[in-house]
Amino acid sequence: MIDISPSVMQFLLAFVVVAPLLGAAAALLPAPPGLKGKSPDQAVLRHGVTVTGAILLAALALTAGFDHDDPSRMQATTDVSWIRALDVRIHLGVDGISLPLLVLTALLTFLCALHSYFKPPTGPSPKAFVALLLVLEAGTLATFAVLDLVLFFLAFEMVLVPMYFLIARWGGEGRRAAAGKFILYTLLGSVVMLLGLLLVGIKGGTFDMVALAADNGRGLTTSVQVTAVLAIGVGLAVKTPMWPLHSWLPDAHTAAPTVGSVLLAGVLLKTGTYGFVRIALPLAPDGMRTLAPYLAAFAAVGIVYGSLACLALARSGAKGDLKRLIAYSSVGHMGFVLLGIATLTPTGVNGALFANIAHGLITGLLFFLVGAVKDRYGTADLDTLAGATGAALYGRAPRLGALLAFAAVASLGLPGLAGFWGEMLALFAAFDPAEGLSRPAYLVFMVLGGLGTLLTAAYLLIVVRRVCMGGPRPAGEPELADVRAYELAAWTPLAALTVLAGLWPAVLLGLTDPAVQQLLAGGTQ
């Protein structure tokens, strides 16, 4: 920890939330003559790298100044009145639960901006692309930083519009239908969620999440809590996405540009699971206890369903799209996050938060790699990639093939890499759920989760065999470009953090555990 004054910490968090919006507005302005470089398009893409880089540096400074000895306390807080008649406040703050997600969002957005600078997505004006990317970052960062229910809803919804246009304007085949499905599902879920948030705020007498968490549901009857968790949970489950509310996800990922898929999987899905931990658990504990077994059941089914869907796409002759397969894998991986939350234990919630970060790192890397494979081969169709002898990335682009294999084994939960700890903790927690929950039922969920890990290993190893292995390059077929310098710059941080989180999980768990313990014991300070 570096000794940074509270006022500077307050400024850093406010800067992290507001700077992307200011950067988005600046991106739409004409570039000053001295900063145009070779073209205005290059200037605006460089602007995106600069702004996201500054936000990442501010997030890292915030982390350095964070009091790691007291991660359960809200730090760098701002609390000013906004809409006095409704008692809606601009209340910002971070603790050990939200800080890792803030840094993950800032990192992935910067890497996407860097990737886009060297390989701009095919589509309309880069000005609009950079502006939308920054608005998307602003909404996601605000979701993890705000401590008012109304602001949380506004930030939660803010990410929908830029992601819709990123898919619809810069996506691939079927992009408009996929974008329409994405916005329809998420908006319908959000309408229901808003009703639940209003119910909690009105019945609790305030929209302040810290005050409501400290009250720990004592001002709400059990029936109100159950109704609120059900309504809020639907909106969060759509964004997570939880089976069977997941069907928008594969289409969105398949059609989205590479950076859109990275951000969608890496950070947008986390806003849903974060909402369960930040809002549902502390604000309506009795409602969560009543509905937790159902949440765990849907999560366990989602784990198996996602893995079986991936196995079906991976088999020869299925014409499975590699991006679609990775999208279905997210349904399974996020199932582990929901299962951990549904145990209502510190072990399970810590596992869920760890799995959130691990999934963001690993799946972000996977979508970068799949985008590179598609760029080189012109397709992500597995049958086309495998062909008669296999795509043979090991022989034609060895570094690309090695990175793809690394990301695959990280995704299947190999011990020593980040993907292992979250899933293991979720399964351990299901073995011994919170008091009052049916242990036999959770043992069944644990077995289904264990089966899901085996199926995950099966389909990912099939993908590695079909894409990376094969015979020599046929005569007359052009050489493949191996990993380029800008790709290495964008991918190395994700690979390195995947290893570090796998070898030293205590660094992340040391942040989350005190905050989770206090949250489950009766809210935050």
Side-chain angles (χ1 to χ4, degrees), residues 57 145 384 398 410:
L57 290 175
T384 304

Side-chain angles (χ1 to χ4, degrees), residues 151-219:
L151 281 184
F152 176 85
F153 177 77
L154 294 176
F156 193 82
E157 294 304 288
M158 183 178 172
V159 302
L160 301 184
V161 173
M163 182 53 72
Y164 169 83
F165 282 108
L166 285 174
I167 297 172
R169 301 294 300 277
W170 287 271
E173 185 179 351
R175 60 184 182 272
R176 294 192 182 278
K181 196 172 184 180
F182 162 76
I183 201 76
L184 180 64
Y185 267 72
T186 49
L187 277 178
L188 288 176
S190 297
V191 169
V192 181
M193 185 179 78
L194 176 60
L195 298 177
L197 294 174
L198 291 175
L199 178 63
V200 170
I202 292 170
K203 292 292 185 179
T206 179
F207 290 103
D208 188 274
M209 291 158 63
V210 175
L212 289 167
D215 187 62
N216 201 223
R218 286 180 283 271

Side-chain angles (χ1 to χ4, degrees), residues 128-513:
F129 175 83
V130 171
L132 289 169
L133 192 69
L134 291 171
V135 172
L136 180 64
E137 181 180 29
T140 311
L141 290 169
T143 300
F144 299 135
V146 298
L147 297 172
D148 182 278
L149 290 178
V150 175
L151 281 184
F152 176 85
F153 177 77
L154 294 176
F156 193 82
E157 294 304 288
M158 183 178 172
V159 302
L160 301 184
V161 173
M163 182 53 72
Y164 169 83
F165 282 108
L166 285 174
I167 297 172
R169 301 294 300 277
W170 287 271
E173 185 179 351
R175 60 184 182 272
R176 294 192 182 278
K181 196 172 184 180
F182 162 76
I183 201 76
L184 180 64
Y185 267 72
T186 49
L187 277 178
L188 288 176
S190 297
V191 169
V192 181
M193 185 179 78
L194 176 60
L195 298 177
L197 294 174
L198 291 175
L199 178 63
V200 170
I202 292 170
K203 292 292 185 179
T206 179
F207 290 103
D208 188 274
M209 291 158 63
V210 175
L212 289 167
D215 187 62
N216 201 223
R218 286 180 283 271
L220 305 175
T221 65
T222 300
S223 60
V224 168
Q225 290 191 37
V226 171
T227 304
V229 170
L230 189 60
I232 295 168
V234 168
L236 298 175
V238 170
K239 188 75 76 73
T240 297
M242 181 186 78
W243 179 90
L245 303 175
H246 69 283
S247 61
W248 62 269
L249 184 70
D251 291 339
H253 270 309
T254 304
T258 296
V259 294
S261 291
V262 170
L263 292 175
L264 181 57
V267 294
L268 259 69
L269 304 189
K270 311 304 176 284
T271 60
T273 50
Y274 172 78
F276 277 107
V277 175
R278 178 64 73 202
I279 296 175
L281 276 176
L283 273 59
D286 293 338
M288 274 298 292
R289 188 171 296 275
T290 300
L291 295 174
Y294 302 99
L295 178 63
F298 283 123
V301 172
I303 292 170
V304 176
Y305 169 83
S307 301
L308 290 175
C310 290
L311 269 177
L313 289 170
R315 75 179 194 276
S316 179
K319 290 292 181 184
D321 186 279
L322 192 51
K323 287 186 72 177
R324 194 175 189 85
L325 184 146
I326 303 301
Y328 271 112
S329 78
S330 292
V331 176
H333 289 307
M334 298 310 289
F336 281 102
V337 177
L338 291 173
L339 178 60
I341 294 170
T343 65
L344 306 184
T345 62
T347 301
V349 177
N350 276 305
L353 294 170
F354 196 102
N356 253 348
I357 301 298
H359 180 265
L361 296 172
I362 297 167
T363 308
L365 178 59
L366 273 171
F367 275 116
F368 269 134
L369 292 164
V370 172
V373 171
K374 186 174 182 179
D375 175 53
R376 287 154 173 78
Y377 281 93
T379 181
D381 180 79
L382 271 169
D383 288 338
T384 304
L385 289 174
T389 61
L393 278 180
Y394 288 156
R396 302 181 199 181
R399 287 185 288 276
L400 180 59
L403 277 169
L404 183 60
F406 166 81
V409 297
S411 185
L412 64 82
L414 186 74
L417 298 176
F420 170 73
W421 295 105
E423 296 181 4
M424 184 197 71
L425 290 173
L427 293 177
F428 275 4
F431 181 76
D432 188 19
E435 185 179 350
L437 299 178
S438 171
R439 189 161 186 254
Y442 275 79
L443 288 176
V444 173
F445 304 149
M446 183 193 72
V447 171
L448 289 175
L451 174 62
T453 61
L454 296 176
L455 295 174
T456 300
Y459 72 73
L460 284 169
L461 292 175
I462 290 172
V463 167
V464 170
R465 176 179 59 80
R466 297 191 69 197
V467 176
C468 296
M469 302 178 185
R473 178 172 61 91
E477 186 173 305
E479 291 278 358
L480 282 183
D482 209 340
V483 178
R484 301 179 176 100
Y486 73 88
E487 292 173 331
L488 190 65
W491 304 343
T492 299
L494 301 179
L497 288 171
T498 298
V499 174
L500 288 173
L503 294 178
W504 290 284
V507 174
L508 183 55
L509 293 173
L511 271 178
T512 62
D513 185 55

Side-chain angles (χ1 to χ4, degrees), residues 25-54:
L28 298 175
L29 300 174
L35 298 178
K36 284 186 178 180
K38 295 179 181 177
S39 70
D41 288 350
Q42 186 190 47
V44 75
L45 292 169
R46 186 169 58 249
H47 169 79
V49 176
T50 303
V51 173
T52 55

